[in-house]
């Protein structure tokens, strides 16, 4: 077990393995097969920083109410 802890500790200091492990822990690696389309189709929406007329806002703040949300990022 000590060897596993040492290896994971080394990997956790590297960007790509840390992102991969974090994604697995938080369910960001889940992909629902919804057919052809954009590569992000069927994946969890990341918590992006957004700007609006009232100031900065996070995506998860909009999703907190468990209601449909349409984001126009264009």
């Amino acid at each position: 077990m000590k060897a596993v802890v040492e290896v994971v500790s080394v990997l956790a200091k590297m960007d790509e393995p840390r992102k991969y492990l974090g994604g697995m822990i938080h369910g960001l690696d889940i992909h629902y097969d919804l057919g052809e389309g954009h590569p992000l189709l069927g994946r969890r929406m990341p918590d992006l920083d957004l700007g609006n007329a009232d100031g900065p806002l996070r995506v998860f703040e909009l999703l907190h109410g468990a209601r449909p949300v349409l984001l126009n990022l264009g």
Side-chain angles (χ1 to χ4, degrees):
M1 189 58 136
K2 184 178 177 182
V4 171
V5 170
E6 289 176 14
V7 169
V8 172
S9 295
V10 170
L11 292 174
K13 294 175 186 174
M14 299 175 187
D15 283 340
E16 288 304 314
R18 186 175 58 239
K19 290 177 186 176
Y20 179 77
L21 292 171
M24 287 178 54
I25 291 168
H26 295 285
L28 297 175
D29 63 334
I30 295 172
H31 177 236
Y32 298 101
D33 185 6
L34 300 174
E36 297 292 323
H38 192 278
L40 295 178
L41 181 65
R43 296 201 179 269
R44 182 176 169 182
M45 176 73 184
D47 190 18
L48 302 173
D49 290 316
L50 304 173
N52 65 17
D54 298 327
L57 184 67
R58 304 279 303 186
V59 168
F60 285 3
E61 292 176 53
L62 297 172
L63 298 174
H64 185 74
R67 299 180 56 124
V69 175
L70 174 64
L71 299 175
N72 182 352
L73 303 176

